[in-house]
Amino acid sequence: MVVTTARTRTRPPAGRGGRFRALVREARSWPTILMIGLCLLAGIPLTIALTPDQELRILGQHISVGARTPDLSLEGPARLVQIGNTELDIPRLQVVGPLRPQLEMGPVQRNDDAARVLNPDTTAEATAQAVDQLRTGFVNWYLLATLGVVGTALAAAALVGCARVLGILRREKASEHVTVADVWHRCSGTIGRMSLLAVTVSLVAWGVCGALAYTGTMRGLAQVSSLSDLVGSARVTPAPVGPPVFGYAGAVIGDSRAARVGGPPVAGPEGDDVACERSADSLAAELGTMIPGRVRNLACPSATVAQGLRGPQQRGNVQVPAQVALLKQMQDLKFVVVAVGPNDVGWSDLIKYCYGVETCDDNLTRGEFDYRMAAFDRDYAALLEDLAALPSKPRVVVMTSYDAFPRDTDPACPDARGPSYAVGLTQDKIDLLTDRNDQLNAVLRAGAEKYGFAVADPGLTLLCSPGTDGLGPDLQGLTDPFAFHPTAVGSLRLAATVARVVGPLDD
């Protein structure tokens, strides 16, 4: 009994100096050093990886704010994660330490909130609001992660403390008078000091990480004046293909609407005229009868910006060079007409889908259309930059996409009703197709206006329109070989519209 009493005797409380010296001694002990190393090398990276991102709605876009998973490097860039663009490092924002910001977004949504940043009257306000929301989102994430840092520090202290208690019990297991309560009484102060050291060191280190992240981000943003500055640029313009070409006043690049599939073949075909099914009454051919000088047709069916205009296109066994690559070899051009867009957003797939189902405004096709629109927006911007850099500085005319049906279409119209096995188009479906075509045209116009290019809006008589002028339909119907494509009359009307926009040519 005497021994037990001696072991459990309570020491008088130490003064401030004694508590500080005890804390210093504890900081030098190897279990505490091990615990601090565990907090710094494992606790902070684990907290960064496990802290959930903050979900925000900024300018109509869904954005998640957080930090990228730490690696073994001492310094690294922030990161942008976007659907369709995977993980994109931001080289301008170099951060020392494990805390490197990450934004996740996409696909880009087009709505009224997003349009605010493009409106000169609201750009400054919208930008400031977006920056405030991002700052608040990251601060909230940082505060939430701070709780995680404290939690992992306490967990590390508890783990090492339990190990110390078990070590003492193992060393003194031969003594019958030593109990767990005795050991805990002897170690409680030690464990308390360990916990205090773990939390203090972790919070100081976490504060340093936050300061480094803020400093690196602000230093990088100070050198940024555009989106390209921020994320870098990997744009490669198509290289010229073929020998220099002379003797043309203009050229037409684009898809099957400009190639005029279904028309009479050109007499004496050259180059890829056969592979691209170019007609003798194509947009380029009709323009050549209205404007002084020859007009070269480079358009090809199924062409998109990426595969057709800026990159080569496979047509059967023939690989057609990029239309821009051929365009670059044309000397002294006065104008270039661009007809692109529907293939990039999968327009034919959407129309077929609407013919075959009861309703085609489901969220799956909505998301797919938005994704394709976002991709087209990027590709189209690169195309416009290519056209703006043409050495002859031709006048560029962007042709918008025409609708297939008027908004007040009679569902009983054969072209709207479709084949006997199809569900057909209702007014709601036609409204949906019209609205999405309007979105495509909005992108076409916005890009053209940015570069000072002209825009031509085709004035065609649509399918199922009441009455005609006696010249025949402007668009091929479902019973024709190439539904929704211009007829000979339609091609003539397209050319007349473009010719008015091109205007007189300088000698």
Side-chain angles (χ1 to χ4, degrees):
M1 294 296 293
V2 176
V3 175
T4 303
T5 303
R7 286 182 179 274
T8 58
R9 186 173 54 199
T10 303
R11 294 180 180 180
R16 290 185 179 181
R19 286 196 293 267
F20 179 76
R21 286 191 295 271
L23 192 64
V24 172
R25 285 196 304 272
E26 187 60 44
R28 295 174 178 174
S29 66
W30 70 262
T32 302
I33 294 175
L34 176 65
M35 175 202 64
I36 292 175
L38 186 65
C39 292
L40 298 181
L41 300 179
I44 289 180
L46 184 65
T47 299
I48 294 174
L50 296 181
T51 302
D53 293 347
Q54 296 296 298
E55 306 293 333
L56 305 175
R57 191 77 177 175
I58 300 177
L59 296 176
Q61 315 301 313
H62 177 267
I63 296 178
S64 300
V65 180
R68 59 185 299 179
T69 302
D71 54 31
L72 297 178
S73 62
L74 296 178
E75 181 179 4
R79 174 175 289 173
L80 173 67
V81 179
Q82 185 180 21
I83 296 176
N85 201 19
T86 62
E87 298 175 347
L88 176 66
D89 287 341
I90 306 177
R92 292 276 185 165
L93 306 186
Q94 291 288 330
V95 176
V96 177
L99 182 55
R100 300 160 194 174
Q102 175 172 289
L103 297 180
E104 183 173 348
M105 64 177 295
V108 176
Q109 303 291 325
R110 288 171 173 78
N111 47 44
D112 293 340
D113 289 336
R116 291 176 56 209
V117 79
L118 301 177
N119 186 341
D121 296 332
T122 57
T123 296
E125 178 185 356
T127 302
Q129 182 180 4
V131 171
D132 287 341
Q133 287 180 276
L134 283 173
R135 183 185 297 111
T136 301
F138 190 77
V139 168
N140 291 339
W141 181 91
Y142 185 80
L143 294 177
L144 181 61
T146 301
L147 297 178
V149 169
V150 173
T152 54
L154 293 176
L159 180 64
V160 177
C162 289
R164 296 184 76 166
V165 170
L166 292 176
I168 293 174
L169 284 174
R170 185 176 180 180
R171 287 195 305 270
E172 301 189 10
K173 63 181 180 179
S175 176
E176 298 179 355
H177 300 289
V178 176
T179 65
V180 174
D182 293 333
V183 175
W184 172 253
H185 183 76
R186 291 165 56 186
C187 295
S188 59
T190 299
I191 294 176
R193 289 188 290 273
M194 288 175 59
S195 300
L196 178 61
L197 287 169
V199 172
T200 301
V201 172
S202 296
L203 287 179
V204 170
W206 184 240
V208 171
C209 290
L212 291 173
Y214 177 83
T215 301
T217 301
M218 292 299 102
R219 182 175 61 247
L221 289 177
Q223 304 173 16
V224 170
S225 60
S226 67
L227 183 60
S228 296
D229 288 342
L230 180 62
V231 301
S233 176
R235 175 182 175 273
V236 178
T237 185
V241 171
V245 177
F246 299 88
Y248 287 92
V252 175
I253 61 174
D255 51 31
S256 53
R257 297 170 298 162
R260 226 298 267 178
V261 291
V266 297
E270 298 177 353
D272 300 306
D273 288 341
V274 175
C276 289
E277 304 176 61
R278 295 167 184 151
S279 299
D281 53 2
S282 65
L283 174 58
E286 298 293 2
L287 274 173
T289 65
M290 302 176 185
I291 295 176
R294 301 165 63 198
V295 181
R296 188 181 182 188
N297 188 6
L298 297 176
C300 201
S302 302
T304 63
V305 175
Q307 298 182 13
L309 276 73
R310 301 193 72 244
Q313 179 184 0
Q314 196 69 34
R315 293 286 296 174
N317 296 326
V318 178
Q319 187 179 67
V320 180
Q323 297 176 33
V324 171
L326 296 171
L327 190 65
K328 287 183 175 182
Q329 289 296 74
M330 299 185 66
Q331 309 298 310
D332 303 322
L333 279 177
K334 302 297 184 182
F335 68 91
V336 175
V337 180
V338 183
V340 72
N343 291 331
D344 295 79
V345 298
W347 201 251
S348 59
D349 295 338
L350 179 59
I351 291 182
K352 291 177 183 177
Y353 183 69
C354 287
Y355 268 109
V357 298
E358 293 292 339
T359 179
C360 54
D361 61 347
D362 54 85
N363 289 332
L364 179 63
T365 53
R366 171 81 261 179
E368 179 66 16
F369 180 78
D370 288 343
Y371 173 78
R372 294 187 181 189
M373 280 293 295
F376 170 68
D377 201 354
R378 294 192 296 270
D379 292 342
Y380 178 54
L383 171 65
L384 295 176
E385 191 171 348
D386 290 335
L387 298 176
L390 290 174
S392 58
K393 300 298 179 183
R395 186 177 306 168
V396 177
V397 178
V398 176
M399 190 176 75
T400 58
S401 173
Y402 51 76
D403 290 312
F405 298 93
R407 285 191 177 270
D408 56 349
T409 298
D410 182 1
C413 169
D415 287 315
R417 189 171 62 247
S420 58
Y421 55 82
V423 177
L425 300 181
T426 62
Q427 188 60 55
D428 289 340
K429 294 179 181 179
I430 292 173
D431 289 343
L432 174 68
L433 293 171
T434 302
D435 289 342
R436 292 189 178 176
N437 192 52
D438 290 343
Q439 294 180 49
L440 172 61
N441 285 335
V443 173
L444 291 170
R445 290 193 184 93
E449 292 171 1
K450 177 180 178 180
Y451 284 88
F453 297 161
V455 176
D457 295 313
L460 301 180
T461 302
L462 307 182
L463 296 175
C464 299
S465 295
T468 62
D469 53 10
L471 296 178
D474 291 351
L475 297 177
Q476 300 180 55
L478 291 183
T479 59
D480 296 313
F482 300 96
F484 311 115
H485 287 80
T487 62
V489 176
S491 185
L492 184 62
R493 293 190 194 277
L494 289 178
T497 301
V498 172
R500 286 193 295 269
V501 175
V502 171
L505 300 179
D506 298 331
D507 296 332

